[in-house]
Amino acid sequence: MKSLLVLFYQSVIQTTLTKVSKILSTVFKMSEPNCKKARGDGNKTVVLAYSGGLDTSCILVWLLEEGYDVVCYMANVGQDDDIKEAEDKAIKLGAKKFVCLDLRKDFVTENIWPAVQANAVYEDRYLLGTALARPCIAKGMIQVAKEAKAAYISHGATGKGNDQIRFELACYALYPEVEIVAPWKIPKFYNRFQGRNDLFDYAKKNGIPLPVTPKKPWSMDGNLMHISYESGILENPMTTAPHDIYQMTTDPKEAPKEPSTIEIEFKNGVPIKVTNAEDGVTKTEPLELYSYLNEIGGKHGVGRIDIVENRYIGMKSRGVYECPAMTILLQAHLDIENLTLDREVRRMKQDISVRFSEQVYRGYWYSPECEFSRFCIDKSQEFVAGRVILSVYRGQVYIRGRESAYSLYNEELVSMNVKGDYEPTDALGFIKVNALRLREHQRLRSKITANQK
């Protein structure tokens, strides 16, 4: 009897497993066309964010080994790279196609200007030069991927940094069905290439051109907004950045002995005109305006910072940055904003700006919350208009004057020489009401202290 029950249950289990197997097989067959569609109908075209350097050149050849058709993509956001040299190198190594998009103007108007409106600063000092460029680069990358009908994108960002997060969050937001091939997070890749020496050996074996001169002992990332330096000898927070590391700015000690005085005109919180008071040079086109401020600030050594910051992924990192134009614009915008913005609106806007800066740093530019932040900040800038006079001199920005048709500054009201429409005795009640909490706090605390003795 017992054996019959065992046979019965075995039969039931086998029948059930057969039915489940058939159901799963049917499900997989039904879903297979959708998977192929999401993966570009079975194609293996990948768009690689390409710089032409050692890492992405090795990744290009490795992707070819893995059976991908590689489209190399570069975004011109003002970095000092030889684009033609990078293109020739990519095609020589086997890339199916090379695409470079000139995104400099888009970078200024779509990413930098909102940051100016926001007074965007991460952790009180970092002006977000790399973080603001990533959504611009990713947007262009997705455009190229869709035009190439690519099912994959790839990049050379490591698994420890912020850029992997920024690139991938932006790409998933703009192209939800895309698949990301991130070699430095694939065990097959990072177990094979455990350091730069392994990459150099791989490059030699595969005919990948190596740098003519030894790489400087730090990592650099540049665009028209800034240059960042990190890694290598800079990983020790006590190591002073070498004198010759800086490329955008003059050492303030060697800057001109006379300041440069400029006037910046704002509309809706955005700079629309820059005029040099010395020679009358005027810039109004966004890219030219920003580049000119880089030139002025760089000449006077403005915009250098050396900081330890908190990466989103959970570790601290040390970075050295140069950001001349944005440093000038931040000071000028803060000044015209204080002149034209209501006190309580400004307080609320500051709170949103802190959140916005964190959203940008963490890669959430294309998130609904960041879109909402930009909307609120843009609304706050409706009457932030006027002109600011400032001097740039030996690493510093000095505000000299400001005016606006929307100014909330009432000279007569605030004057020490004119009474104006203000009754000084009103301040008595104002102070008494605000002092009530302080007086009660002290009275009650004193009473408790006295009883304890």
Side-chain angles (χ1 to χ4, degrees), residues 435-446:
L436 177 62
R437 172 179 61 91
L438 307 179
R439 295 169 72 181
E440 281 299 287
H441 179 274
Q442 181 60 28
R443 183 180 69 81
L444 293 171
R445 284 291 180 268
S446 298

Side-chain angles (χ1 to χ4, degrees), residues 18 74 89 182 190-191 234 254 267 287 326 406 423 440:
T18 301
M74 283 187 75
K89 187 176 182 179
Y190 66 69
N191 285 328
L234 300 176
E254 300 170 4
K267 183 178 181 181
L287 180 55
M326 193 65 172
Y406 301 103
E423 184 57 58
E440 281 299 287

Side-chain angles (χ1 to χ4, degrees), residues 115-132:
V116 171
Q117 290 179 307
N119 305 318
V121 183
Y122 178 71
E123 294 188 336
D124 304 315
R125 289 187 289 172
Y126 174 45
L127 300 183
L128 299 163
T130 299
L132 286 164

Side-chain angles (χ1 to χ4, degrees), residues 90-153:
I91 298 301
K92 182 180 178 181
L93 292 176
K96 177 181 177 181
K97 189 178 180 182
F98 178 91
V99 180
C100 180
L101 301 181
D102 187 348
L103 302 177
R104 291 174 297 171
K105 185 175 180 180
D106 290 346
F107 181 31
V108 173
T109 58
E110 296 181 15
N111 302 93
I112 296 178
W113 281 177
V116 171
Q117 290 179 307
N119 305 318
V121 183
Y122 178 71
E123 294 188 336
D124 304 315
R125 289 187 289 172
Y126 174 45
L127 300 183
L128 299 163
T130 299
L132 286 164
R134 295 316 184 221
C136 179
I137 296 169
K139 183 179 178 181
M141 190 176 189
I142 293 305
Q143 175 187 326
V144 171
K146 289 183 176 180
E147 288 174 357
K149 295 183 170 56
Y152 305 86
I153 62 166

